[in-house]
Amino acid sequence: MSTTLFRIAGWTYLPDFATRQALRVIHQTSSNIFHRHPPDPRTPAYALHYRLTFAAVVLCYLIYNFLDASGSITNNFYELLGVYPNSSDATLKTAFRGFARKYHPDRVGPSGEALFIEVRDAFEALKDPVVRFAYDRFGPDVLKWKECTTMREYLRRGLLSSSLYHIMTGAGLILFSAIGKPSPIAAWRYLLFLCLFASELYLLLAPSPSALSPGPFIDAAASHATILDVAFPKRIVYQHVLLLHQVFFFLSVALSRVAPVLFPSLMRGDPIVDQQIVRAMAERLGALAKTTERELSIMLDTELLAIHETPMVTSEMSTLSRPQEMLKSDIMRVLTMEMEDVVVENKLKTEVGPVKTAWDSVVDKEMRNKDQGWRLQKIPDKVPSPPETRQVKLHNRPRSLSL
């Protein structure tokens, strides 16, 4: 991760700095030898010199990154033994014996034990032609795939593992294009990504460079050497794939840095077209704002007049620019009071605290009182009213006294 960040920082700042220094040296040398004064920095000649120097600096930096990336890839099993990938089993066995005599832990000590065990395990596993075929394409990880036994299973597992890199890279390109400014460089990035994908797929599915006799799982077609095979004859497919990944990263960053400098007119676009686009967008936004304002005015008129049960107005009246002129002063006053009551009520209902608790208790008490009153309204239908009973008692008392 730190190496990637260092490379990104290098591509961001180093080409511009190196270009300025190199152009200054070139101008001084040209002035001393050919007696030509350097052009002014604000002239087209200076801009041309800067672009050419920048392209040369980026090309040299690309070559340096390519050599550094190719040298940072770890050696494979064949390189450790000092043989070629198409060596036979007998050649591998002889080379391993020589390696064991030279790097055995009894001879080099505990420091070389890990390397010896790694090479020994790889040698034992690569005796199987199927495992050797998979190792050439997917690297040392195939030695841990114990569940795979046939070439089809190895290919399926290896292709699934390789697809993760392409999925993440494609998603990154789409995200970068979505959040960034539209640029013609994006199309070239996608083209470069497709070239990487096709090259990697060809390397993984191409016939094996091994000289083994064909079997039920080994292809019999003759392999064709690629440029990477010629440049690195002792390397195998999985190392070529790792190198292609780094080259894709370098070329993508270089394309983003070189194109704005070498082709400034292509990156800026046509100013007249840009002004027309901005003007059209402003007109559309203005029309949308006017339509939204008219619709909100209509909705406001409808809601306010419905609250006070006033007659509905026609659509022509609703489209006036100032709807408040249709409302009378007394309606506005009543509406203001009602809106204040609504705001206060909503505030009491929503906020948590002693006011909310008091509000809830008052509402519950009022509901209980209404419920009790409703019950008392039904009870007098079945029970005689107390005043009638009191009158009967008063009527009978004098009668009893007279007797």
Side-chain angles (χ1 to χ4, degrees):
M1 185 65 180
S2 59
T3 305
T4 304
L5 294 177
F6 178 76
R7 288 173 177 173
I8 293 176
W11 276 107
T12 303
Y13 301 104
L14 187 59
D16 293 326
F17 175 78
T19 300
R20 289 192 297 268
Q21 300 302 322
L23 190 58
R24 182 173 59 84
V25 172
I26 292 173
H27 285 165
Q28 290 180 356
T29 305
S30 175
S31 178
N32 295 332
I33 297 177
F34 301 102
H35 303 286
R36 294 180 180 178
H37 296 286
D40 190 77
R42 293 181 295 273
T43 59
Y46 183 87
L48 179 61
H49 293 175
Y50 187 89
R51 287 199 296 268
L52 295 178
T53 307
F54 186 84
V57 169
V58 169
L59 180 61
C60 295
Y61 195 54
L62 272 176
I63 296 175
Y64 165 76
N65 279 276
F66 179 80
L67 296 177
D68 180 68
S70 62
S72 62
I73 297 177
T74 57
N75 295 330
N76 57 41
F77 171 74
Y78 306 104
E79 290 176 316
L80 292 176
L81 295 183
V83 297
Y84 290 93
N86 57 355
S87 301
S88 60
D89 288 343
T91 305
L92 290 179
K93 186 179 296 185
T94 303
F96 178 74
R97 289 176 179 175
F99 177 85
R101 288 193 299 268
K102 186 177 181 180
Y103 295 98
H104 197 275
D106 296 339
R107 181 179 295 272
V108 299
S111 59
E113 184 177 359
L115 178 62
F116 177 79
I117 293 175
E118 178 184 355
V119 175
R120 184 194 62 187
D121 294 342
F123 173 73
E124 295 294 334
L126 296 183
K127 290 180 180 179
D128 186 352
V130 176
V131 179
R132 182 174 177 179
F133 188 90
Y135 176 83
D136 292 345
R137 282 155 177 77
F138 306 111
D141 292 339
V142 301
L143 304 180
K144 303 176 184 179
W145 300 348
K146 303 299 182 181
E147 72 278 3
C148 300
T149 55
T150 63
M151 182 53 61
R152 179 176 297 179
E153 294 176 353
Y154 276 108
L155 283 176
R156 185 186 299 111
R157 176 71 181 274
L159 291 176
L160 288 177
S161 301
S162 302
S163 63
L164 180 62
Y165 170 82
H166 296 282
I167 293 174
M168 298 298 296
T169 304
L173 290 177
I174 295 174
L175 179 62
F176 186 77
S177 300
I179 64 178
K181 183 180 179 181
S183 172
I185 300 177
W188 292 97
R189 290 199 194 98
Y190 287 114
L191 181 60
L192 188 63
F193 176 70
L194 291 178
C195 293
L196 168 70
F197 178 76
S199 301
E200 183 173 345
L201 194 63
Y202 171 78
L203 291 174
L204 293 177
L205 300 181
S208 175
S210 172
L212 300 175
S213 58
F217 302 105
I218 305 300
D219 44 42
S223 60
H224 301 281
T226 61
I227 298 178
L228 296 175
D229 294 329
V230 175
F232 309 100
K234 288 188 178 181
R235 292 188 175 179
I236 50 182
V237 173
Y238 85 91
Q239 293 175 310
H240 297 336
V241 170
L242 293 177
L243 183 59
L244 286 178
H245 291 176
Q246 299 192 37
V247 170
F248 169 74
F249 173 77
F250 299 148
L251 291 180
S252 299
V253 180
L255 188 63
S256 302
R257 297 287 289 115
V258 172
V261 177
L262 294 183
F263 311 101
S265 60
L266 180 64
M267 301 302 298
R268 283 197 299 265
D270 191 357
I272 299 177
V273 176
D274 294 340
Q275 292 179 3
Q276 293 177 355
I277 293 175
V278 172
R279 189 180 299 109
M281 292 181 62
E283 292 177 356
R284 292 188 59 184
L285 290 176
L288 181 61
K290 291 181 180 178
T291 305
T292 305
E293 183 180 0
R294 185 171 60 252
E295 295 295 333
L296 290 176
S297 176
I298 296 173
M299 294 174 60
L300 182 61
D301 293 344
T302 305
E303 293 293 334
L304 295 179
L305 296 177
I307 291 175
H308 295 279
E309 298 180 354
T310 57
M312 295 296 296
V313 296
T314 60
S315 59
E316 290 81 7
M317 296 291 293
S318 300
T319 55
L320 293 176
S321 59
R322 293 187 301 173
Q324 62 272 19
E325 295 179 358
M326 299 185 304
L327 300 177
K328 298 180 180 179
S329 59
D330 56 346
I331 296 178
M332 291 298 296
R333 180 175 53 80
V334 175
L335 179 60
T336 303
M337 297 175 60
E338 291 184 359
M339 292 180 66
E340 291 178 356
D341 294 340
V342 170
V343 171
V344 172
E345 183 177 352
N346 290 333
K347 199 74 173 177
L348 294 175
K349 290 181 179 180
T350 55
E351 289 190 356
V352 179
V355 179
K356 178 68 165 56
T357 305
W359 175 272
D360 294 338
S361 61
V362 171
V363 172
D364 294 340
K365 183 178 180 180
E366 186 66 22
M367 294 298 293
R368 288 195 298 270
N369 292 338
K370 289 184 179 181
D371 188 17
Q372 185 177 2
W374 177 77
R375 293 180 180 178
L376 291 176
Q377 289 178 0
K378 290 189 176 182
I379 293 175
D381 297 339
K382 298 179 181 180
V383 182
S385 59
E388 295 180 357
T389 307
R390 191 178 297 111
Q391 291 176 2
V392 171
K393 290 182 179 180
L394 293 175
H395 179 71
N396 292 335
R397 181 176 300 173
R399 186 175 182 179
S400 59
L401 291 176
S402 59
L403 292 176

